[in-house]
Amino acid sequence: MNAPHPAHAERSDLYQATSPLHLTPLWEVLHSLVPPRPASPCVPALWRYGEVRPHLMRAGELITAAEAVRRVLILENPALRGQSAVTQSLYAGLQLLLPGEIAPSHRHTQTALRFIVEGRGAYTTVDGERSTMHPGDFIITPSWTWHDHGHPGRSCGDARGQEADEPVVWLDGLDIPLVRFFDAGFAEDGSARSQALSRSEGSSFARYGYNMAPLRGDAPFGATSPIFSYPYERSREALHQLERAEPLDPWDGFKLRYINPLTGASPMPTIQPFLQRLPPAFEGRSSRQTDGAVYSVVEGAGTAYVDAPGGPLRFDFEACDHFVVPSWHALRLQSSGGCVLFSFSDRPVQQSLGIHKEERLA
Ligand code: GTQ
């Protein structure tokens, strides 16, 4: 055994003397402060809908939407339990609304997206305009806009005349951890349970959804898209047309990002959503990026292989399952029968900071 380095005891003395002054020597932590590559504390995880759904429906028996305000089971990263975070920057949860219920009006600094998982007949109202939810629709709640959710049930029916008397479940994606990091969150309850309607349903889409825009007036929600709802039937058709006629990307299959039509940038300043079609017999290549992503399986089935420090993980997924791929964990997708995947990440934030990085592996 070598004798201890003579400085060690004196260094310890220094550390003990500086600690009460709230001082820490950088050289003891430098390597983890500026790691050679991202070392996310998050882990990959899969939530099978077949396992989650019974608990969500049980929650529907135990608490009303009005009492809960938002009846949600939060998808917590297994390595971040108690933090209501699916990645370091993002929140995800599955929200249930039953026929006859209202989730009361409120607003907050945090930006939200909704991705409809199952059911028909519910709506969300944002800034005086209602959007009826259909499975696969992507819906936005801009920062600080009043929003309430409702489910009239059979009495009102769906605009398309479809059965509307069933539970509605959607994925909530919010920038809650990011806003918490900045200590910049505000929230307020509305005076009425449901806000008054001031515009007809579909008017935001009519103004901005057809590659056209009003002649006058500023962007109504700043950097956030003026379209509240991006209907699945349109985004799905775009992907299927590409699949019929265009070469696929060996990593992503056919993948499009949703945009703010006024800027071409992400629909929300903090979150970029994507929709992706893997054709039948797809064997994707592996890639990694610094933006961890949450996936919602829209249609079909497949397999996600995610590299993790403890060895690669294999997630066999099917429709309505959810999974999270943390930052800089390589992902490879495969599907024998074909599938459609929705996903979202904090990419716009990283891009605005100039730190986003992607690596497409062989
Ligand atoms: O629907 O407004 O999952 O405020 C978490 C916080 C949903 C919402 C969530 C929220 C909402």
Side-chain angles (χ1 to χ4, degrees):
M1 282 289 284
N2 291 333
H5 190 283
H8 274 187
E10 287 153 84
R11 286 183 192 171
S12 282
D13 289 347
L14 173 69
Y15 301 167
Q16 273 178 32
T18 50
S19 182
L21 301 175
H22 313 118
L23 297 168
T24 291
L26 170 63
W27 58 90
E28 291 290 338
V29 293
L30 180 59
H31 203 69
S32 62
L33 281 188
V34 283
R37 65 194 62 81
S40 176
C42 303
V43 294
L46 169 71
W47 290 267
R48 288 181 215 285
Y49 199 55
E51 287 174 8
V52 173
R53 191 180 189 278
H55 299 295
L56 201 50
M57 295 306 147
R58 180 82 179 121
E61 294 165 6
L62 297 180
I63 188 164
T64 64
E67 189 190 350
V69 182
R70 299 293 184 260
R71 190 205 286 118
V72 176
L73 290 180
I74 303 172
L75 307 183
E76 282 198 319
N77 194 288
L80 303 177
R81 294 308 308 273
Q83 297 182 39
S84 303
V86 67
T87 67
Q88 294 268 69
S89 59
L90 296 172
Y91 161 103
L94 290 170
Q95 182 160 175
L96 168 67
L97 207 58
L98 296 169
E101 289 192 315
I102 286 176
S105 182
H106 71 184
R107 62 177 176 174
H108 38 70
T109 318
Q110 292 81 358
T111 295
L113 70 79
R114 330 281 170 191
F115 188 74
I116 318 310
V117 173
E118 69 157 305
R120 285 165 208 285
Y123 63 81
T124 185
T125 306
V126 174
D127 198 45
E129 183 180 333
R130 218 173 240 203
S131 296
T132 302
M133 298 171 158
H134 312 91
D137 291 354
F138 153 59
I139 293 177
I140 295 177
T141 307
S143 177
W144 206 242
T145 52
W146 295 109
H147 54 285
D148 49 83
H149 317 300
H151 191 335
R154 194 187 295 273
S155 56
C156 285
D158 176 285
R160 296 173 207 175
Q162 287 159 319
E163 188 64 43
D165 196 18
E166 51 199 23
V168 174
V169 176
W170 64 85
L171 172 69
D172 282 324
L174 287 91
D175 52 12
I176 287 174
L178 196 61
V179 173
R180 182 167 59 198
F181 174 81
F182 290 118
D183 290 332
F186 294 86
E188 203 179 351
D189 287 331
S191 50
R193 275 201 321 155
S194 303
Q195 63 186 291
L197 301 180
S198 57
R199 275 188 300 265
S200 61
E201 172 155 9
S203 62
S204 71
F205 200 87
R207 287 195 178 86
Y208 300 98
Y210 293 92
N211 294 320
M212 293 196 257
L215 274 67
R216 272 170 282 277
D218 291 334
F221 303 100
T224 298
S225 173
I227 298 177
F228 298 132
S229 175
Y230 294 67
Y232 184 53
E233 57 183 20
R234 293 178 65 91
S235 17
R236 180 179 196 272
E237 176 50 28
L239 290 178
H240 280 273
Q241 173 145 359
L242 293 176
E243 181 184 355
R244 284 193 293 272
E246 297 297 319
L248 61 68
D249 179 272
W251 286 269
D252 292 335
F254 300 94
K255 187 171 185 175
L256 295 173
R257 61 187 172 92
Y258 294 88
I259 61 163
N260 175 343
L262 291 178
T263 62
S266 175
M268 302 116 96
T270 48
I271 303 177
Q272 172 69 67
F274 306 88
L275 195 70
Q276 173 173 21
R277 164 84 183 148
L278 308 182
F282 182 73
E283 294 280 347
R285 295 188 195 167
S286 175
S287 72
R288 57 185 176 182
Q289 34 271 121
T290 50
D291 51 325
V294 179
Y295 286 79
S296 180
V297 183
V298 194
E299 296 181 52
T303 304
Y305 297 91
V306 189
D307 277 347
L313 294 172
R314 173 186 174 143
F315 295 150
D316 292 308
F317 58 75
E318 55 186 69
C320 304
D321 288 350
H322 293 82
F323 58 94
V324 59
V325 180
S327 164
W328 216 239
H329 285 54
L331 166 69
R332 184 163 60 85
L333 291 167
Q334 190 227 301
S335 177
S336 48
C339 64
V340 178
L341 303 174
F342 173 85
S343 59
F344 67 95
S345 80
D346 64 9
R347 188 172 300 184
V349 182
Q350 297 198 27
Q351 286 176 330
S352 72
L353 298 175
I355 58 170
H356 183 257
K357 197 170 162 77
E358 177 182 38
E359 201 170 73
R360 300 191 126 193
L361 308 161

